[in-house]
Amino acid sequence: HWSRFVVKQTHKNLRPKRSFIRHHAALEELDLEKGHLPNTNEPIHGPRSILHGWEWYEMCLFVHWTPPHSTTILCFDLPKQLQTLVQSALTSNPDMTGCSDPYSVFSVILYNVLCLYDNSVWSIRNHICEWEATRLQEPDYGLLHEIARHAIHVSETLVVASESVKDLQRQQRDFMAKQSLSNGTWSTAHDPFQFPLRILQSLLSRSESNQARLQNEITLVGWWIAPLALELTAAKGMFDGDVQEIIASRYRYFGGKMGKHCVVMAVQPRMGTDAASDLAARMRSAFSNIEYFLVVGIGGGVPGYGAFGAQSQIVMGDVVVSVPAGKYGGVVRCDFGAWTGDGRLEISGHTNGPPDALLAAVNLLRAKHSMRTGTKIPTYLEEMRRKIHGDEQHKFEDQGARKDRLFQDNYPHCDEWQGNDCEHYCDLGRSQLRQNRGIEAIRQIDTPKIHYGTIASSNQLQISAPTRNRYQKELGVICFEMEGAGVIQKHPCLVIRGICDYSDSHKNKTWQAYAAATAAAYAKELLSVIPQSHAGEL
């Protein structure tokens, strides 16, 4: 009989490994063609793994039985600490290594192998306990994921070991049946394998609880996608404490705590739904325990929406949150469909809506905003500005009602003035200041209004007032942006946008930083009402 047992052992000095040695199949054809034979003295998983605090024990056991007087046992690649123990156990237990049953010898060997599995599981547990004792410090996601990687390996090896022992048990059963032994001897022969199986199952349960505890430490309530650099600046200012840079697969992320949650942020290399989809996939690959994605940043608003005579007014700095409305799940892709004979794009298809847990949190926060205590957004904005360099702080302040102008729908910004401030190039007589748009447009400093509804998402920048109005009428959208549809279709996601323009040709950068800040502040307040994940805490 031949059996193989593999154990993953971690040590106290565990640290992330930044490189790897590629696995080589034995006698690879390409190497043979070039005349290069593999080095059989080099461990297949790399000789330097111990320098990173972990190693594999890959043990092979071969038992050859020649009845009635001879049993040959070959043990390959036992770790040094096990070699003496196994040899001593075999020589000191003649009753258990008799020649009448070729499988009885395994009861002696397995006991010592089980000790390795036990150490394997509890060493992972020690790493977790050490982490839990220092969790108030800034999280080191790289180390957490390194521990999680080894914890997964430990569980895998326990499952395989159990199957190996079961295979031994089945073979012994067949052997004993052929020997036509009595029931009493049969039961005695089975007992040695029942104990190892129960121990392995117990260790597997402990290993699974280790992974659950790691899940509790690693779980990221929010992957916070910020398409622009200024959006990332505002978002980073919402962290409680220092911000940690995380390098994963050559990409840079930013992590930290917001309240009771772990949040990791990333900025897109370019704008658009496709880039957002790529970034979300890369994030999911780098950090497997994501619960939700939050796409947070700036967008263009629809100035007025709702029933005639009771319209809601969106102004600069307000926040729009994607929630299901009508036949759409919160986000509609407005560049996907079929062109009609009159040259119009007929929108088709749909996107997924936010998960129920996020929608429940949105509704809870919406109710809290209606109470006397109101919103924490003004407080978060003030705290955020204190973290930003003094020369940049003014950009993230409320720009004031006098800098909020809504131009007439039939008065576009002149093409030759694109990129220039409307204050100096446009006819201000063709615009309305905020205070002239009615009571619904009045806002206190740093107190944006939160709007809930459908957000239009596409790869094209929306700069046409007539098109904006048509989409609002036909699709019910109240905001335009360029990333959300790329994320929400495949990931549990909520889109949060601060309004920096009115989705027309009169775009400028005056309100961008403040709009990014209000969106980030709302996102932080939303996280405060999302329950903390307790994945199997023991």
Side-chain angles (χ1 to χ4, degrees):
H1 181 88
W2 176 86
S3 291
R4 181 171 183 262
F5 293 91
V6 179
V7 178
K8 183 66 171 290
Q9 181 63 47
T10 58
H11 303 288
K12 186 174 179 59
N13 63 330
L14 184 65
R15 59 190 177 91
K17 188 176 181 182
R18 301 302 183 187
S19 62
F20 75 101
I21 296 177
R22 188 172 69 89
H23 173 83
H24 292 276
L27 301 179
E28 278 190 344
E29 293 182 5
L30 290 177
D31 286 341
L32 288 175
E33 291 174 359
K34 298 176 181 179
H36 298 156
L37 292 176
N39 182 2
T40 56
N41 294 320
E42 180 177 298
I44 200 166
H45 293 282
R48 293 181 296 276
S49 64
I50 189 65
L51 300 178
H52 299 271
W54 57 271
E55 58 185 322
W56 286 101
Y57 301 143
E58 301 177 69
M59 301 163 287
C60 293
L61 308 175
F62 181 80
V63 176
H64 183 265
W65 181 59
T66 305
H69 304 298
S70 176
T71 301
T72 302
I73 307 166
L74 300 180
C75 302
F76 297 92
D77 298 325
L78 268 64
K80 291 181 179 180
Q81 65 267 35
L82 201 63
Q83 293 175 9
T84 303
L85 292 174
V86 169
Q87 188 171 9
S88 174
L90 289 173
T91 56
S92 60
N93 291 276
D95 294 338
M96 298 300 295
T97 57
C99 296
S100 62
D101 177 8
Y103 295 93
S104 62
V105 67
F106 282 100
S107 63
V108 178
I109 299 175
L110 284 179
Y111 173 80
N112 292 279
V113 173
L114 286 176
C115 293
L116 290 182
Y117 284 111
D118 186 74
N119 289 335
S120 174
V121 172
W122 286 95
S123 65
I124 292 291
R125 179 259 187 191
N126 289 341
H127 289 298
I128 298 171
C129 288
E130 183 177 359
W131 180 265
E132 291 171 337
T134 59
R135 64 157 58 99
L136 292 180
Q137 301 176 8
E138 287 300 311
D140 183 347
Y141 289 111
L143 180 57
L144 277 172
H145 280 267
E146 182 71 8
I147 299 172
R149 180 172 73 89
H150 297 300
I152 292 171
H153 292 164
V154 169
S155 290
E156 290 174 342
T157 59
L158 289 168
V159 171
V160 175
S162 295
E163 291 302 315
S164 296
V165 175
K166 289 177 183 177
D167 184 57
L168 279 168
Q169 194 177 53
R170 285 191 295 267
Q171 292 194 35
Q172 187 193 42
R173 183 184 301 120
D174 293 341
F175 172 80
M176 290 300 179
K178 292 178 181 178
Q179 297 296 314
S180 301
L181 297 178
S182 66
N183 291 335
T185 307
W186 177 280
S187 300
T188 302
H190 267 78
D191 287 342
F193 292 111
Q194 292 297 331
F195 177 74
L197 282 174
R198 290 174 179 172
I199 292 296
L200 286 170
Q201 186 58 50
S202 175
L203 290 174
L204 181 59
S205 296
R206 166 56 62 180
S207 183
E208 290 172 348
S209 72
N210 283 343
Q211 292 185 68
R213 290 167 71 175
L214 277 168
Q215 171 84 14
N216 187 47
E217 298 298 322
I218 295 175
T219 295
L220 308 174
V221 168
W223 266 109
W224 190 309
I225 298 178
L228 300 178
L230 65 88
E231 294 167 334
L232 182 63
T233 300
K236 288 168 65 177
M238 295 297 162
F239 277 123
D240 299 324
D242 295 333
V243 182
Q244 179 182 353
E245 289 193 11
I246 305 166
I247 305 296
S249 301
R250 297 181 299 169
Y251 290 95
R252 189 181 306 274
Y253 307 101
F254 302 91
K257 298 283 286 188
M258 285 193 192
K260 54 186 175 294
H261 296 300
C262 295
V263 178
V264 171
M265 300 176 180
V267 63
Q268 289 181 207
R270 60 188 182 280
M271 297 178 67
T273 58
D274 294 337
S277 178
D278 291 343
L279 179 57
R282 189 168 70 239
M283 290 174 167
R284 178 71 77 180
S285 176
F287 293 86
S288 60
N289 295 301
I290 303 168
E291 282 194 271
Y292 309 117
F293 283 84
L294 301 179
V295 181
V296 185
I298 59 176
V302 174
Y305 67 94
F308 180 78
Q311 276 200 330
S312 296
Q313 295 291 313
I314 293 179
V315 304
M316 301 292 194
D318 279 358
V319 176
V320 176
V321 182
S322 64
V323 299
K327 63 179 181 179
Y328 299 109
V331 175
V332 57
R333 184 154 190 171
C334 60
D335 60 353
F336 186 83
W339 291 100
T340 62
D342 59 358
R344 295 176 57 183
L345 181 65
E346 184 175 314
I347 305 299
S348 61
H350 70 282
T351 58
N352 296 326
D356 290 344
L358 282 181
L359 289 178
V362 168
N363 289 333
L364 177 59
L365 184 57
R366 192 173 183 176
K368 290 184 67 175
H369 285 172
S370 300
M371 304 300 289
R372 179 175 296 181
T373 54
T375 176
K376 295 181 180 178
I377 288 179
T379 301
Y380 292 152
L381 290 173
E382 184 60 32
E383 292 174 350
M384 179 270 298
R385 283 192 284 260
R386 287 199 294 265
K387 300 174 184 178
I388 295 177
H389 191 276
D391 294 340
E392 297 291 319
Q393 284 184 1
H394 69 281
K395 297 179 181 179
F396 294 89
E397 293 177 350
D398 192 329
Q399 301 300 302
R402 296 189 62 82
K403 291 187 178 181
D404 185 354
R405 288 186 176 273
L406 173 61
F407 284 87
Q408 296 171 1
D409 295 346
N410 60 357
Y411 179 67
H413 195 83
C414 184
D415 289 341
E416 62 183 88
W417 301 334
Q418 288 297 333
N420 294 315
D421 194 342
C422 294
E423 289 283 341
H424 302 100
Y425 291 89
C426 293
D427 182 0
L428 301 185
R430 303 287 298 274
S431 69
Q432 275 186 311
L433 287 171
R434 182 192 297 180
Q435 57 265 33
N436 297 326
R437 292 171 55 190
I439 192 171
E440 280 294 317
I442 302 300
R443 303 285 187 271
Q444 299 295 320
I445 296 295
D446 279 347
T447 310
K449 184 176 180 179
I450 314 302
H451 305 266
Y452 306 88
T454 302
I455 295 178
S457 184
S458 74
N459 283 307
Q460 285 79 43
L461 187 63
Q462 167 54 39
I463 57 173
S464 168
T467 301
R468 173 201 69 198
N469 295 340
R470 177 167 64 86
Y471 281 144
Q472 201 290 314
K473 181 179 179 181
E474 295 176 359
L475 306 177
V477 302
I478 60 175
C479 176
F480 293 84
E481 56 93 69
M482 298 178 63
E483 285 78 31
V487 181
I488 200 170
Q489 191 62 18
K490 295 183 179 180
H491 306 280
C493 170
L494 188 72
V495 182
I496 302 168
R497 293 298 183 182
I499 301 304
C500 65
D501 60 61
Y502 291 116
S503 304
D504 57 12
S505 59
H506 298 277
K507 291 185 177 293
N508 62 75
K509 298 182 179 181
T510 303
W511 286 90
Q512 286 186 352
Y514 181 70
T518 58
Y522 174 84
K524 179 174 182 176
E525 189 170 18
L526 179 68
L527 289 175
S528 71
V529 299
I530 296 177
Q532 184 180 14
S533 174
H534 293 285
E537 180 82 355
L538 297 181

